[in-house]
Amino acid sequence: MIWNVWLKRSIIWMLSILSLLAIATSVTANAPMPTSLSWLKFDSSSKLQGVQISQCQGENCQQLVLLKQYGTCDRSGCIKSVPKLDHRKPLNLDCADNLCLVALSPFYDKKDLDPNQIRFIAQLADRVSVSKVFPLRDRQPNKFTVTVKDKILEISPNSEEKITQSSLFKNLALFFLILTLGVELGIWAGYLRWRKVESAEIRLTIISLLIVHIFSFPIVWFSFPGLEHFTSDGNRFGGLTWLGFSILYGIILSLHSIWAKRSFSRRVVVGSIAYWLGAAVITLLFTALLGYGSPVPSADGLSEPMAIFASEVFVVGYEAWIVQRLRRETLSIKIALGISLIANAGSCLLGLAFTLLS
């Protein structure tokens, strides 16, 4: 009887997800003309200190007018004036490390801005360099490598350059899901067999691990990548929404394990799946709604290495917490943390090795 109820609820949730995706597609189709984005990756060992966007005036670009500035550009070769578009939005400039994003709105005043007469000025640790005229509008591809040659910035198209540092866009999620599950389940099962735990207990622990991974895997591949540089508002707040739901699930599970006679039961499994489906629907909705109307990602956030490290530290504790709550009769939090640390370190190192070798 309970499985029939669960099946009906699952069908309802899936239909809800499909409806939300249809709405999101319709909203996207009716969105206004998008902002033009140009990604500039500075190929230089010197640290990027500041970037200026200037506009040519007069014949042969005799004069440069400063439009936007990021960071510090105060040495010889920089334009020392207040940016003309400092507090206005038709043109935006944001940088993180040696990656910059230039966003040009389709709604700009032609008296103030001519996208076809743009020059970049960059101050690095050892020099100030200037580019040739670089038209911004309707650039395809929109990813460029900036090579610094003495005092000249050479900007060349690079369709292979990543536009984001987020591992969310690496198209390896399915492979790493299988790799993570294989390595971590193997380590947990190996430890329990070494301790001569009964087969029934090993099976329940494996099921507990499968439950926790439907929450923890999106945390690693969605929540923490959403905190990286140049992540869209939709992905950033959607990732935080999923992180919040995952923590709330742990709290609810902890309370249940205190009050219930048995911490693990069929009701817990069905309830966990239903909760996951509901959280997924709401997270998708938040991602679509918060992402609409804010196509320009911000440079605020963590670097990719920091985001990976933070996600791994969080997941070690999270998985140990959830598994221990589900198997509290036979598993202490200290042992759960130890096995979780070894299992996650093993899957992470194997994944990094595969990435470096591929």
Side-chain angles (χ1 to χ4, degrees):
M1 185 67 179
I2 189 171
W3 291 107
N4 291 332
V5 174
W6 174 79
L7 180 60
K8 291 179 181 179
R9 290 179 178 177
S10 298
I11 293 173
I12 293 173
W13 280 120
M14 292 303 298
L15 290 175
S16 300
I17 293 173
L18 292 174
S19 300
L20 288 172
L21 291 175
I23 293 172
T25 303
S26 176
V27 169
T28 302
N30 291 282
M33 186 184 301
T35 299
S36 174
L37 304 179
S38 297
W39 299 87
L40 306 176
K41 182 70 173 182
F42 285 79
D43 186 14
S44 173
S45 57
S46 298
K47 182 180 179 181
L48 184 65
Q49 296 179 342
V51 177
Q52 292 183 332
I53 300 180
S54 61
Q55 178 175 304
C56 288
Q57 286 191 346
E59 294 183 4
N60 300 319
C61 201
Q62 296 175 351
Q63 182 180 1
L64 290 175
V65 177
L66 181 60
L67 300 178
K68 280 283 185 178
Q69 178 169 320
Y70 165 83
T72 302
C73 194
D74 54 6
R75 297 208 298 264
S76 176
C78 296
I79 302 175
K80 298 176 177 62
S81 64
V82 177
K84 184 178 180 180
L85 303 178
D86 193 21
H87 301 292
R88 299 168 66 181
K89 295 299 183 182
L91 184 66
N92 282 298
L93 170 65
D94 212 354
C95 301
D97 298 327
N98 278 18
L99 179 65
C100 291
L101 172 61
V102 181
L104 174 65
S105 169
F107 310 105
Y108 60 87
D109 191 337
K110 295 182 179 180
K111 297 179 181 178
D112 295 331
L113 175 63
D114 183 356
N116 296 315
Q117 296 295 322
I118 297 299
R119 280 196 176 189
F120 289 94
I121 302 171
Q123 177 172 304
L124 298 119
D126 57 350
R127 73 193 70 185
V128 173
S129 302
V130 184
S131 74
K132 297 180 180 179
V133 173
F134 181 81
L136 284 179
R137 188 170 52 188
D138 300 329
R139 297 305 301 260
Q140 293 295 333
N142 66 343
K143 293 165 280 186
F144 304 91
T145 296
V146 183
T147 305
V148 182
K149 294 186 177 180
D150 194 18
K151 294 186 177 182
I152 302 297
L153 295 177
E154 293 188 356
I155 305 177
S156 56
N158 187 352
S159 59
E160 301 299 322
E161 186 66 51
K162 289 192 302 178
I163 64 172
T164 175
Q165 297 178 355
S166 174
S167 55
L168 183 66
F169 298 92
K170 289 182 180 176
N171 299 322
L172 293 173
L174 179 59
F175 171 79
F176 279 110
L177 173 59
I178 297 172
L179 177 68
T180 298
L181 286 175
V183 172
E184 296 190 18
L185 293 182
I187 290 175
W188 276 88
Y191 171 80
L192 294 174
R193 283 189 176 278
W194 175 68
R195 293 299 302 268
K196 298 181 180 180
V197 175
E198 295 181 359
S199 298
E201 175 61 27
I202 295 177
R203 284 196 299 271
L204 292 177
T205 303
I206 294 301
I207 294 173
S208 301
L209 286 166
L210 292 174
I211 290 174
V212 72
H213 273 89
I214 65 175
F215 291 94
S216 64
F217 197 75
I219 289 174
V220 174
W221 283 79
F222 182 45
S223 294
F224 279 89
L227 301 178
E228 293 182 19
H229 301 308
F230 295 118
T231 302
S232 67
D233 286 350
N235 285 340
R236 181 158 297 181
F237 291 108
L240 290 174
T241 300
W242 182 260
L243 186 62
F245 273 122
S246 299
I247 294 173
L248 180 61
Y249 168 75
I251 294 173
I252 295 172
L253 188 65
S254 297
L255 295 175
H256 175 270
S257 68
I258 294 172
W259 296 331
K261 293 182 180 179
R262 291 190 303 161
S263 58
F264 192 94
S265 63
R266 181 179 293 182
R267 179 179 297 177
V268 171
V269 176
V270 174
S272 297
I273 295 173
Y275 180 94
W276 183 89
L277 287 171
V281 170
I282 297 174
T283 299
L284 284 174
L285 181 61
F286 268 53
T287 302
L289 292 179
L290 294 172
Y292 177 75
S294 56
V296 181
S298 170
D300 296 334
L302 304 173
S303 64
E304 184 177 14
M306 283 297 298
I308 292 174
F309 177 76
S311 68
E312 290 297 327
V313 171
F314 180 86
V315 163
V316 166
Y318 182 78
E319 291 182 357
W321 176 34
I322 301 300
V323 174
Q324 195 277 330
R325 288 292 83 194
L326 289 170
R327 306 304 312 134
R328 63 182 173 86
E329 294 90 354
T330 58
L331 194 63
S332 69
I333 187 63
K334 183 177 180 180
I335 292 177
L337 277 171
I339 305 175
S340 180
L341 176 60
I342 296 172
N344 279 279
S347 63
C348 181
L349 291 174
L350 191 59
L352 288 175
F354 175 83
T355 302
L356 292 174
L357 294 174
S358 62

